[in-house]
Structures are given as C-alpha cells and as structure tokens.
Amino acid sequence: MPTSPTHARMSARHLIRGRRLWIVSTAAVGLLSFLLSLLYLGANSNPTGAMHDLPIAVVNDDQGAVHSGKRVNLGARITAQVTGAAQLKGKVTWKQVDRAGAKRLMDQDKAFGALVVPENFSASVLGLASHGRSLPARPTLDVLTNPAAGGFGSNMAEQVNREAAHNVSVALGKELGRQMTQKAAKAKAAGKRVAAPSAPERLLIADPVGVVVAQGHHLGDHSGFGLTSFFYTLVLVLAGMLGANVIHMQIDTALGYAAKDLGPFRTAEPVRHLSRSRHFLVGCALMAGVSLLTSALTVVAAVEIVGIDAGHLLLLWIFGACATMAMGCTALALLAVLGTPGPLVSMLVLIGLAIPSAGATIPLQAVPSSYDFLARFEPFRQVLDGIRSILYFDAQLDAGLARGWAMTAAGLVISLLLGLGLTHLYDRRGLHRTAHLEAAGLSAAV
C-alpha cells in the first residue's frame, strides 16, 4: 500500500492568529476601497459645481426686423448676452456657428447641444408690442439636445440653454412692458383711447419667449439614452482583464506551477519550466485568438439578441477584438511583472481609474479637472470614444474613432514592451518561477 507524503500541518486557530495574514489582507483591501471611494465619489459628488468648459453651440439665424424706421436684430443681442453671461464664464464654452456648423459639431461628438435663435425671432418679438384682437404668436428659441454625446451631458446642456432662454425672456419682457407703457402714455397725452392688454397678453408680455426642445443628433430608441456605448465598452474591458487572469492561470496549470481545483477534486501537472518572457508571449498569443471570438460573441449578444442600435458590425467586431486584446495584454503584462498584486493593479488601472475619467455617464466637463489628466491615457476612455463613434456617429474618424484606434494601438505596444522588457530582465537575472532552477541559478530554458 503506497504511503502518502508527510506534510506539515497548521491549525486554523494558529493561521487566523497570524499577524502578517491580517496586515497584508487588511492593507490591500482597505487601500483599494479607500482609493475607489475617492475616485468614484470624488468624480460624481457635485457635477454642477465641477462643470467647466461644457461645449454648447449657439446659432443666430435671426433675419432681423424694422422697428421705428430702424432695423434691429434681437438675435445678435441675445447671443451676445448669452455668451457673455458672467455666471457661466468658465463653465460653458460657447461655439458660435451657423445651423449647419451646429449640426456638424453634434454629429462629431463635439457639442452637447445647441441654442438656436430662429430667423423670425425679431419680427415675432416686435409683434407682441402691437396687440390686437387676437393673441399674438409667441416667439421661441430652439434648444437642440445631443444624447449621443452622453445623456447626462446633454441634459446639463439643455438645462443651461433653458436657463439662458428664461433670462432672455425676462429681459425682453421688461423691455416690452416699458415700451407698451410708454406707448400708452403717449396715446393718452394725444387724447387717443388705447385698449388695455388682456390678462393673457399681460402674461405673454411678462414672459414672452418660449422654448422648443428637439434632438440635434438623432439617437435610436435602443441606444439606452447614450449609455449602450459605455456598457459595450465595459464588456470589452472586462473580457480583456478577466480573460487575462483565466489565460495566465491556465498556462500556470499546464506548466504545473499551480494545481487545478474542480470542486473537491484537485489535480496537478508535473512542473515544467518556461521562461517568464515566453510565458508572457504565449499568454498574449492566446489573448489575440480568444479576443476574436469574444468580440464576435459580444456583437451577437448585443446586436442580434438584445437588439441595440448598431451599424458597421464588421468594424465593431474588429475594433472590439483589438480593444479586448489590448486590455488583455495590459493585464497580462501586469501579472507577469508584478505577480500576485497584478490582478489588483490591473483592476485599479483598467476599471478603478478608468471609469470615473471615461466621460461615459458624467461628462469630463462635469467632474473635477484632475480627471482630465487621467482621461488622456486611461484605456477605457480611448475605447469608449471608438465604440461611441461606431454606434452613434456613423464611425466617423473625427468623432473619436481615430483617437480610439491610435490609443488602442499605443496601449498594446506599450504593454508588449513593458511585459517583454521586464520579464526578459527577470530571466537574465535568474529570477525564475520554478524553485529548483532559481536555487541552482540556471538560465531560462525553452
């Protein structure tokens, strides 16, 4: 009867009393929770107070009108009043363009909305001063939204435009009231009888300008108010990060570095040495192949089964595969270089730092400025720009796809260089993962 090898034993009581176990576990989990609380709550606690440089288009289509022998253009005065408002200085970046320019900005994800003064605005306002038997038509300002740029950002732009329109209406109402009072006084002095404005007319004069809200860039009903791009990107990032962990563990299991536990059953392969650099390259090769399949399955699940609004399916598949591979190779590099802390660091880099600086749920213009720095290089933001362009902006390069491709490629190259460079350095110094080779000081074997 074969005898089982003798193993040193440790009681559960002795293990749980170990100081090092408590210190390392508490420090790792506590620090991660502390950092995530700072990042997530710091980004989302006060979007209105943190708002800065929110891009909004403003259009003056007003053709003007003749009043008392002079031609006036109230649209020009209004746009100057809106763009020069002191309370919005530094909070909003007004882009003064024509209507076609505003459409182009929203179609390229470069504006969250637009405020438009229609061509008959001056004539409609001046018509209020000459009331007759019928209630005059109410002048309006057009507020265009762009939910494709992000539902929260679009709503913020709409609120800014509504408030600006209200301030314009109050100012014009006071001016019209003064003009009508002066006109009535002159008529009375001349002995003419002037009918007093009716109650509806007085209400209209007090707040003369209405607001008409419409979508400036059409977004489909199955776009999640502009959030499907965020969740699609999240799937790609998680597929890369979690896939890297699975691949790294599978290679370790195949080499005998780690045992395979399946329920109560445990198996272990004989230990076979592979250099760190080749371990990393095998992982990246597997990641590249797996990414093609996972991206295809993501397209099938999201578009064919769930039914999200999406076009350019071939491009969506290819870009998704490249993004997943870049994320996976980044996570594999961190695992190869850092070892056990690798999964925590990759989660912090790819998820913790990334989501608050992605501008997906809350735009970057509504989070503290410090997150702008993270958004320049955090991979989640770059992938999101590409996915948003494909899903909502007809895959235009100027709408974020060009930057998405460039930064995804740069991230992949940096990850490969980092992983290969440091693992090769470990191998040259004899820092092998197999204990007997490390003890013998042997060089890496193929």
Side-chain angles (χ1 to χ4, degrees):
M1 182 176 182
T3 58
S4 59
T6 302
H7 297 284
R9 303 179 68 87
M10 178 183 289
S11 68
R13 180 180 298 178
H14 181 74
L15 180 64
I16 203 169
R17 285 180 176 178
R19 185 177 302 176
R20 182 179 178 184
L21 186 66
W22 280 100
I23 292 175
V24 174
S25 301
T26 304
V29 178
L31 180 60
L32 189 63
S33 300
F34 178 75
L35 289 175
L36 291 178
S37 298
L38 284 179
L39 291 168
Y40 280 67
L41 299 177
N44 302 312
S45 61
N46 185 16
T48 303
M51 188 172 72
H52 61 281
D53 301 324
L54 190 74
I56 302 176
V58 59
V59 178
N60 177 25
D61 275 348
D62 189 15
Q63 299 298 311
V66 177
H67 178 65
S68 300
K70 297 181 181 179
R71 188 161 193 84
V72 296
N73 189 304
L74 295 177
R77 195 172 80 185
I78 285 171
T79 53
Q81 176 186 338
V82 168
T83 57
Q87 68 271 22
L88 294 177
K89 188 174 182 180
K91 292 182 175 293
V92 175
T93 297
W94 297 103
K95 299 177 180 290
Q96 298 192 55
V97 292
D98 57 14
R99 189 179 285 266
K103 182 70 166 60
R104 184 168 56 253
L105 287 173
M106 288 185 284
D107 288 347
Q108 295 179 351
D109 195 17
K110 290 181 171 60
F112 285 98
L115 179 64
V116 181
V117 184
E119 59 183 13
N120 64 340
F121 186 78
S122 291
S124 298
V125 172
L126 295 175
L128 294 178
S130 55
H131 61 278
R133 290 184 178 180
S134 60
L135 195 66
R138 189 181 191 187
T140 59
L141 293 175
D142 297 333
V143 172
L144 304 181
T145 63
N146 189 11
F152 195 95
S154 179
N155 288 338
M156 292 184 73
E158 181 184 343
Q159 291 304 314
V160 168
N161 285 332
R162 282 181 176 275
E163 185 176 350
H166 175 71
N167 292 337
V168 165
S169 182
V170 170
L172 286 176
K174 292 179 179 178
E175 186 173 339
L176 287 173
R178 286 195 300 268
Q179 290 179 5
M180 294 185 69
T181 300
Q182 292 171 0
K183 184 177 180 180
K186 289 181 180 179
K188 185 176 181 179
K192 296 180 180 179
R193 185 178 177 181
V194 179
S198 64
E201 286 178 324
R202 287 197 300 270
L203 290 174
L204 181 59
I205 292 299
D207 186 14
V209 180
V211 172
V212 176
V213 180
Q215 277 194 13
H217 177 85
H218 178 70
L219 191 64
D221 295 334
H222 296 87
S223 296
F225 299 103
L227 285 177
T228 51
S229 60
F230 165 69
F231 289 110
Y232 198 100
T233 302
L234 184 61
V235 170
L236 298 179
V237 174
L238 289 175
M241 185 182 70
L242 298 178
N245 283 275
V246 172
I247 287 171
H248 185 86
M249 180 56 68
Q250 288 301 306
I251 297 174
D252 276 1
T253 301
L255 293 172
Y257 293 173
K260 179 171 66 176
D261 288 309
L262 186 60
F265 305 104
R266 180 178 178 84
T267 58
E269 297 290 335
V271 177
R272 288 166 290 183
H273 175 68
L274 185 68
S275 66
R276 290 178 182 267
S277 56
R278 284 180 170 80
H279 188 295
F280 173 66
L281 284 175
V282 170
C284 289
L286 283 169
M287 194 74 243
V290 169
S291 297
L292 293 172
L293 176 62
T294 57
S295 181
L297 292 175
T298 303
V299 172
V300 171
V303 180
E304 300 300 328
I305 299 178
V306 176
I308 70 169
D309 293 321
H312 307 281
L313 298 187
L314 179 61
L315 178 60
L316 185 63
W317 168 58
I318 295 173
F319 184 81
C322 293
T324 302
M325 181 173 65
M327 296 292 177
C329 290
T330 299
L332 285 169
L334 292 171
L335 280 164
V337 171
L338 300 177
T340 302
L344 289 177
V345 176
S346 64
M347 195 278 285
L348 186 63
V349 171
L350 300 179
I351 300 294
L353 293 172
I355 291 182
S357 61
T361 52
I362 295 181
L364 288 173
Q365 293 83 2
V367 298
S369 301
S370 56
Y371 290 85
D372 293 342
F373 173 73
L374 291 174
R376 295 177 185 176
F377 62 86
E378 268 294 337
F380 197 109
R381 169 69 178 178
Q382 324 311 327
V383 176
L384 175 67
D385 283 346
I387 294 298
R388 184 178 277 168
S389 174
I390 295 171
L391 293 183
Y392 306 149
F393 299 105
D394 199 28
Q396 296 182 79
L397 293 176
D398 289 343
L401 185 57
R403 178 176 173 81
W405 274 120
M407 295 301 289
T408 298
L412 177 60
V413 171
I414 291 172
S415 297
L416 291 174
L417 292 176
L418 174 67
L420 277 177
L422 290 179
T423 53
H424 182 67
L425 179 63
Y426 294 166
D427 289 333
R428 288 191 60 183
R429 293 190 174 183
L431 302 172
H432 308 295
R433 297 184 66 201
T434 44
H436 68 283
L437 283 176
E438 189 173 343
L442 299 178
S443 60
V446 177

